[in-house]
Amino acid sequence: MIAPAQPDLVTVNIDGKEIAVPRGTNVIEAARLVAIDVPHYCYHPKLSVVGNCRMCLIEMGLPAVDPATKAPIMDPASGKQKINWMPRPQIGCATNVSPGLHVRTTTPQIKDCREGVMEFLLINHPLDCPICDQAGECKLQEQATQYGRGYSRFVEQKNVKPKRTPLGPRVMLDDERCILCSRCIRFCKEVAKDDVLGFIDRGSFSTLTCYPGKQLENNYSLNTVDICPVGALTSTDFRFKMRVWFLKQTNSIDTESSVGANTVVWSREGVIYRITPRRNDAVNDTWMADSGRLLYKQVAAPDRLSAITVQGAAGTLASAAAAASTLFQAGAVAVVGSGRSTVEEQFLTKQLAATLGARVSLVSRVGQGDKILISADRNPNLRGALVTGLIDTLPSAQLAALGAAIEAGQVKTVVAIGEDLAAAGLTAAQLAKVSIVYLGTHANATSVAAKIVVPTLTVFEKAGTFINQQFRIQKFARAVPGPAGASDDLAALSALIAAAGGAAIAADLPAIWAQLAAEVPALATMTYRNIPDTGLLLDGTPWSALPFVEGETLHYKPAAAPALATA
Amino acid sequence: MAVIPVDRKPLSFAERTYMPQILSGMKITFKHLMAPKVTMEYPEERPAIPAGYRGVPTLVKDPNGREKCVSCQLCEFVCPPKAIRITPGEIPPDAPTRHVEKAPQAFDIDMLRCIYCGLCQEVCPEEAIFLQQQYTMTGYSREEMVNHKDRLYELGGTLPDEHYKWDKKKAAEEHGNAH
Ligand code: SF4
Ligand code: SF4
Ligand code: SF4
Ligand code: FES
């Protein structure tokens, strides 16, 4: 793993370009900084270096010094210090920069080396590209085109190996395509901490396999598919479904937990085919959990709500708002917001509650954290509710206070935004006592009991921001259009605010962000557009005293220790 | 404006009998009656199509009856008017061609879009799609003008194969250095 950037820089010379890089950077990363591609297979920036593919060969030289006096030896021709070039090429992945290091990547020797390595890699590689899911994002394809010889001299018979070996429930191995780079093995050992993969047999018989009696079934197994440079590991969910070059990539955020792993949603013509991680060194490195990759299935789930209903009859947003207005006039309204709503929605929820003079409750969702990319807090945007001022204490898992207020007759109408009240502990009898206005994506006990149901959008169908456990605000974009009949959450909320007699709010992100910046101190000076793709860290100190339920994850340490707080 | 009177010449006697005109007309008629004919009784009779003609795109099978397309979707990608639509699929593990792994579940070519450019044939790595000699496509509705997979195979039939790539692959699997 690359050491974190340290302040001491060393100057290196790569193909004649001088660049200062932090000590400890390897040649591949240093060359990347001057836009020089050093082809590689086994090296991965987030895994240990093994140096077994030999694709990254470079020529390297160091400034010459007199062995006795340590005085630099000058080259009379150029007047500069002489460079002692090493006679044999070195691997760039395992060569860390040192002061004055010189690197050449374009010499005939290196061209020969790359052609040679490509030739060996391709000897036993099947000509499978038309049926291989990796085609289009395959390093072997790309580098064979860029650095390969262009024709084959191999007349012997190719090795034959098993073509579909399931390594686990979600990962399928094609042995013939594996180039034995060992990235998958290192990932399981070093990141997933579930050491299940290894090579057996020798030479061209080498095969990737699971240890006897084990399976690649941890919740991070699909990351091996992402990092496999060839099509050897494929996801059983995405296998043979669609070619990657047809898919549109949209930046998104994993909503499973408060980690907020950065993701890319791959869709074609409004249909999502897969979700993969997006690199963010401060949040999820290049990984994400398998469970988060299946969340796109909720978009076309059979229980998806698809029509606005008012008292059971089909309605429009206007008729729903009119019906809500009648309910609101009777007063005694309670609002149940959600830690799954975006920052913008929570802001509008707060406006709604303020207009109605209603009390707001949220539902906390706690699970077991896995110390990697799933935290204990399963609400992706609990921090957003704090930052926008929707709540000022942490919510509990049960709406006991709301239940009691309903029993006592203090609440006649409940506006539930994306939360199932029954799952949050309200009884059927309590639900029957109140009129419910439900905004949500999927059918549940609350949508069944509700007087007014407005179907809304899933995270894939709208844009917005979430604030994760580090108080990092991260934005996501709309990947696919929402189903007919569903309303944008912001439009639905602003219709409700108008129904409650509040000032109408334009339901678009720039307008809401102008208000957010004006009214929320933590977000002042920000606009939606200015949030970088990797998010922006907010100051979380106003809330540091709150007892968040969080364990350690990849890039987050709970500051729970009281010693730390007093120090 | 000046008026120019045009005198009509009186007809001669021969002209007044109409005979020379009728005869010269008959001469042309008889000349064509004897000449070899240049038209054709379409659609019963059809012209010979030159080699390399780019007719309706079709899917073909190899002489063993194996469906050659592996649904790589390259033709779908290259097709300029986006006439091709493919739903890829997996060959079930009990099929005799399971070693090919992939075949199209659905393969549609919209002949209202196709411009007969032949790029699909050119790009196909499996030599599975060919623009053959069929040049008429008619239909009463838009739906009828979309060739589905069965129709594409019906139109395409079987073509000779130079490589038998997948059969060789299977032979290698059975007798080669499998371990
Ligand atoms: S399966 Fe892929 S990642 Fe694993 S060793 Fe083989 S080529 Fe490398
Ligand atoms: S001939 Fe050209 S236009 Fe017609 S299907 Fe093939 S690629 Fe598309
Ligand atoms: S016809 Fe050829 S190019 Fe088109 S999907 Fe099938 S194999 Fe690929
Ligand atoms: S990347 Fe350096 S040896 Fe593989």
Side-chain angles (χ1 to χ4, degrees), chain B residues 113-167:
Chain B
R113 282 179 161 254
C114 176
I115 54 169
Y116 298 87
C117 62
L119 286 184
C120 47
Q121 169 175 345
E122 201 156 317
V123 82
C124 179
E126 299 287 327
E127 304 191 349
I129 190 164
F130 283 91
L131 276 75
Q132 298 195 47
Q133 306 202 323
Q134 167 78 23
Y135 52 85
T136 46
M137 268 297 297
T138 49
Y140 290 104
S141 63
R142 285 175 180 273
E143 289 71 49
E144 264 179 77
M145 293 302 284
V146 178
N147 283 337
H148 299 299
K149 188 173 145 181
D150 338 341
R151 175 106 178 100
L152 289 168
Y153 276 117
E154 191 187 309
L155 287 169
T158 298
L159 284 192
D161 192 325
E162 283 175 40
H163 313 294
Y164 290 106
K165 166 176 158 184
W166 292 101
D167 291 0

Side-chain angles (χ1 to χ4, degrees), chain A residues 233-251:
Chain A
L233 298 179
T234 50
S235 147
T236 42
D237 183 48
F238 180 64
R239 201 172 144 84
F240 300 156
K241 293 270 163 42
M242 189 48 64
R243 298 311 240 167
V244 292
W245 52 72
F246 288 119
L247 301 178
K248 181 183 82 171
Q249 301 170 38
T250 314
N251 288 353

Side-chain angles (χ1 to χ4, degrees), chain A residues 17 62 141 144 184 202 248 271 314 411 416 462 473 493 498 515:
Chain A
K17 292 182 195 161
L62 285 168
Q141 255 186 357
C184 51
R202 295 172 54 171
K248 181 183 82 171
V271 179
V411 170
K462 60 187 178 191
I473 185 162
L493 281 168
Q515 277 205 21

